[in-house]
Amino acid sequence: MKTLSTRDIISLGCMAFALFMGAGNIIFPPIIGLHSGENILYSGSGFLISAVGLPVVTIVALARVGGKMNQLSEHLGPVTGLILALVCYLCLGPLFVVPRTTTVSFEVGISPLIGNDGHQLAIYSLIYFALVYLFSLYPGKLLDLIGGVLAPIKIVALIILGASAFFVVWHYHLGSVSEAYHSHPFSNGFVSGYLTMDTLSALVFGGVIVNAIHSRGVSESTLITRYTIIAGLIAGSGLILVYIALFRLGLVSYEFVPDASNGAEVLHAFVQHTFGETGSLFLALLIFIACLVTAIGLTSACASWFSNLIPLSYKTMVLVIAVLSFGISNLGLTRLITVSVPLLTAVYPPCIAIVLLSFTTSWWKNPARVFAPLVAVACVFGLVDGIIASPLNGMLNQVPSHLLKPLPLFSQSLEWLLPCAVVLVIASVIDGKKRQEAYED
C-alpha cells in the first residue's frame, strides 16, 4: 500500500497553505487591525472563524466524501447541486477570483513601481496568464511546483513580514476604534472573513489536494482522507499565525497611515517605514507569488471540473479559462470588486449550510428532507442580501433592505442564521416523526 513520506506530507501542507494565502488574505487583516484598535481581540476572533475555521471545516468535509464538491450536495438533487457547483466554479475561476489575482497583484505590487497609464495592466496580465497557463497544464506536478518551490518562497517572505510587525516596531500608539468595529466587532470581523473567499476556495482546493495525493500513487481512500485533513490543518495553522501577525501590523501602523481606507495602503506604509524603498520590491514579490499560486490552483481545479462537465479536454479548458480571465482582468480591480461583493454575499450562506450539514448526514432518516429546505432558505436570504449589496437595492427603492431589517443581525449581514436555525429545528422534528412512523410500521 502506497503512503506519503513525511516530506511529501509537509509539502502537501505547504501547498494547501500557499493555495489559500492569496493577496486578499494579506490585504484584509491589516485594515482590521488598524480600525479595530482595542477591540482587535473580538474582531480578530470573528475573522479567524470565517477565514480559517470555515475553510478548514470545508476541507475536512470534502475529504470525507473523496474531495468532490458534487458529493457534498448530493442530497439536494443533481440539478440543484450542479447549479451551486457551477456558480462556485465560475466565481472562483474565470468570472472573478482568477482575474482578481491579476489586478490585485498589479495594483498593489507592480503599479506603485512602474505606474499605470492604461497599457501596463494589459502587458502585465498577458505575461501573468501565460505563466498561469503553462504551470496549470500539468496538475500532477503542482505538489512539486507549489509545495516544493513557490510555497517555501512565500512562507519565508511572510515570516519576514510577520516578524517585522512584532520585533521592529516596539512602541506604537493604539488607534481609535472605527465605527464599524465599535458596536459589533465580532460580527464585522466574521463578515470580513468572507472577503478572503477561502470557504468557497476550499470547495475547489479540496479536489486539488486530493489530486496531488493521487499523483504520488496513493489510492487508499482512508489514507487520502487522512492526508487531506492533515494538509488542511497545516494550512489552517499557518493562516492563523499569518493573520495574527498581520493584525499586529495593522495595529502598529496607525502612526504611519491613520486614515488608510484599505489594507494595501497599510502594507505599503509599513514596509516603506520598516524596509525603506526596498520594501516596495519586497511587497511586490510577495503579492505576485501569492496571487500566482492561487491563480494556478484555481485554474487547474476549474479546468478539471469543467472538462468533466463538457466535451473539452483539460488542456483546452486551461486555455479557455486563461483567455477569459485575461479579458476580464483588464476591466480593472474596482469593477471586479463592485461585482464580487454581491456575489459573495449571495453564495456564502448556502455554501456554509451545505458544508455544515454534510457532517450530519447520518443523523437523519432522509437527509434530503432536512438539506433541501434549509439550503433553500439560505439561498433565498443569500440572494436578497446580494441584492441589498448591489445597485439593484437602490433601483428597487430599498425594498429588500426594509424586508430584512427587522430580523436580528441584519446590520451584520447575518440575518439568515436565525431563519435557517428555525427551519433546521422544524425539519428535524418532521424527519424524527417520519423515522418513528417507519419504526412503528
Side-chain angles (χ1 to χ4, degrees), residues 381 384-385 388 398-412 414-416 418-419:
F381 277 90
V384 176
D385 271 340
I388 292 173
Q398 308 290 322
V399 171
S401 299
H402 294 313
L403 287 175
L404 298 188
K405 194 171 183 179
L407 291 173
L409 301 178
F410 169 77
S411 60
Q412 291 82 57
L414 295 173
E415 75 287 338
W416 57 274
L418 182 59

Side-chain angles (χ1 to χ4, degrees), residues 142-177:
L142 289 183
L143 182 56
D144 294 321
L145 171 66
I146 298 178
V149 180
L150 296 178
I153 296 174
K154 182 191 287 191
I155 290 170
V156 170
L158 287 170
I159 289 174
I160 294 172
L161 182 64
S164 64
F166 279 98
F167 301 114
V168 174
V169 182
W170 287 97
H171 302 288
Y172 63 94
H173 174 65
L174 195 65
S176 58
V177 182

Side-chain angles (χ1 to χ4, degrees), residues 7 13 35 90 111 148 166-167 177 194 200 205 221 231-232 234 260 272 281 306 315 327 383 386 392 420 431 436 439:
R7 179 178 179 180
H35 289 168
L90 286 174
S111 179
F166 279 98
F167 301 114
V177 182
Y194 284 4
L200 298 184
F205 289 150
S221 60
I234 292 173
Q272 289 204 343
L281 293 173
F306 279 109
K315 291 186 177 181
L383 287 172
L392 287 174
C420 284
D431 184 77
Q436 183 64 30
Y439 177 77

Side-chain angles (χ1 to χ4, degrees), residues 363-426:
W363 297 3
W364 323 111
K365 173 179 173 57
N366 182 359
R369 191 180 288 132
V370 178
F371 279 48
L374 183 56
V375 174
V377 170
C379 281
V380 169
F381 277 90
L383 287 172
V384 176
D385 271 340
I387 292 172
I388 292 173
S390 73
L392 287 174
N393 191 44
M395 295 170 61
L396 296 173
N397 296 318
Q398 308 290 322
V399 171
S401 299
H402 294 313
L403 287 175
L404 298 188
K405 194 171 183 179
L407 291 173
L409 301 178
F410 169 77
S411 60
Q412 291 82 57
S413 299
L414 295 173
E415 75 287 338
W416 57 274
L417 288 175
L418 182 59
C420 284
V422 172
V423 171
L424 177 61
V425 172
I426 296 172

Side-chain angles (χ1 to χ4, degrees), residues 153-301:
I153 296 174
K154 182 191 287 191
I155 290 170
V156 170
L158 287 170
I159 289 174
I160 294 172
L161 182 64
S164 64
F166 279 98
F167 301 114
V168 174
V169 182
W170 287 97
H171 302 288
Y172 63 94
H173 174 65
L174 195 65
S176 58
V177 182
S178 68
E179 182 178 352
Y181 292 97
H182 185 268
S183 56
H184 304 288
F186 179 86
S187 55
N188 276 297
F190 184 89
V191 174
S192 294
Y194 284 4
L195 299 178
T196 66
M197 298 192 72
D198 280 349
T199 299
L200 298 184
S201 298
L203 291 169
V204 173
F205 289 150
V208 176
I209 296 170
V210 170
N211 289 337
I213 297 171
H214 278 304
S215 72
R216 287 295 194 262
V218 179
S219 57
E220 176 65 36
S221 60
T222 304
L223 285 177
I224 293 172
T225 299
R226 183 188 305 167
Y227 292 143
T228 304
I229 292 174
I230 291 173
L233 292 175
I234 292 173
S237 300
L239 289 171
I240 289 174
L241 293 175
V242 170
Y243 290 150
I244 290 174
L246 292 175
F247 290 149
R248 161 82 180 194
L249 186 151
L251 285 173
V252 303
S253 297
Y254 183 79
E255 294 183 8
F256 318 141
V257 54
D259 299 322
S261 58
N262 60 68
E265 294 180 37
V266 179
L267 283 168
H268 277 297
F270 179 84
V271 295
Q272 289 204 343
H273 172 84
T274 306
F275 302 105
E277 291 302 319
T278 58
S280 297
L281 293 173
F282 170 77
L283 185 61
L285 176 64
L286 173 58
I287 296 296
F288 173 76
I289 294 177
C291 289
L292 184 66
V293 170
T294 300
I296 293 169
L298 288 174
T299 299
S300 175

Side-chain angles (χ1 to χ4, degrees), residues 6 8-9 11 21 40 96 108 135 139 141 156 183 186 226 254 320 391 412-413 425:
T6 302
D8 281 339
I9 293 174
S11 293
M21 183 51 67
I40 185 60
F96 174 61
V108 175
F135 289 143
K141 301 293 184 181
V156 170
S183 56
F186 179 86
R226 183 188 305 167
Y254 183 79
V320 169
Q412 291 82 57
S413 299
V425 172

